[in-house]
Amino acid sequence: MGIHQLAAALQVLHNAITTSIPRGAAAAVLEVMASCCALLVKLSEALRGIEDPRVAAAHARLIEQLFHDTQREQLRSQIHLESTGAHLLEDDELDALR
């Protein structure tokens, strides 16, 4: 897949998740999220190989934004864990999730 195809596919994905996600799709959404995290790592590696200082600055700005978004989402996730009772899951259930 070329970079332009990837950009188009990500736009389709973005459009798909701006609508409501159907019930029962949690596993698929988690898989997509894990793939996006892996993609982010690969994209960052590629950008670090470009010597243009403008690219380096833009990449750093995006990573800084991601850091702030991640911190905010981490807090939301902790609240969600508590509100759903996930902290009460047995160890074997948590191990199965991994």
Side-chain angles (χ1 to χ4, degrees):
M1 176 181 286
I3 193 70
H4 296 292
Q5 291 170 314
L6 176 61
L10 286 173
Q11 185 60 46
V12 170
L13 176 61
H14 181 266
N15 292 342
I17 61 171
T18 56
T19 62
S20 64
I21 297 171
R23 285 185 169 253
V29 172
L30 288 168
E31 188 174 326
V32 168
M33 190 171 181
S35 294
C36 286
C37 289
L39 177 61
L40 176 66
V41 170
K42 291 293 185 185
L43 292 172
S44 287
E45 288 172 359
L47 287 171
R48 284 194 307 272
I50 299 173
E51 296 298 322
D52 186 336
R54 291 172 293 271
V55 171
H59 179 229
R61 182 183 57 78
L62 287 169
I63 294 300
E64 184 70 19
Q65 181 63 48
L66 178 64
F67 172 74
H68 290 293
D69 292 344
T70 300
Q71 282 186 315
R72 189 170 29 261
E73 191 57 30
Q74 191 174 30
L75 290 171
R76 290 177 181 154
S77 292
Q78 290 170 346
I79 292 167
H80 192 222
L81 285 169
E82 186 174 346
S83 69
T84 61
H87 62 290
L88 301 173
L89 291 172
E90 297 293 329
D91 288 341
D92 57 337
E93 289 179 284
L94 293 173
D95 289 343
L97 294 172
R98 292 186 193 107

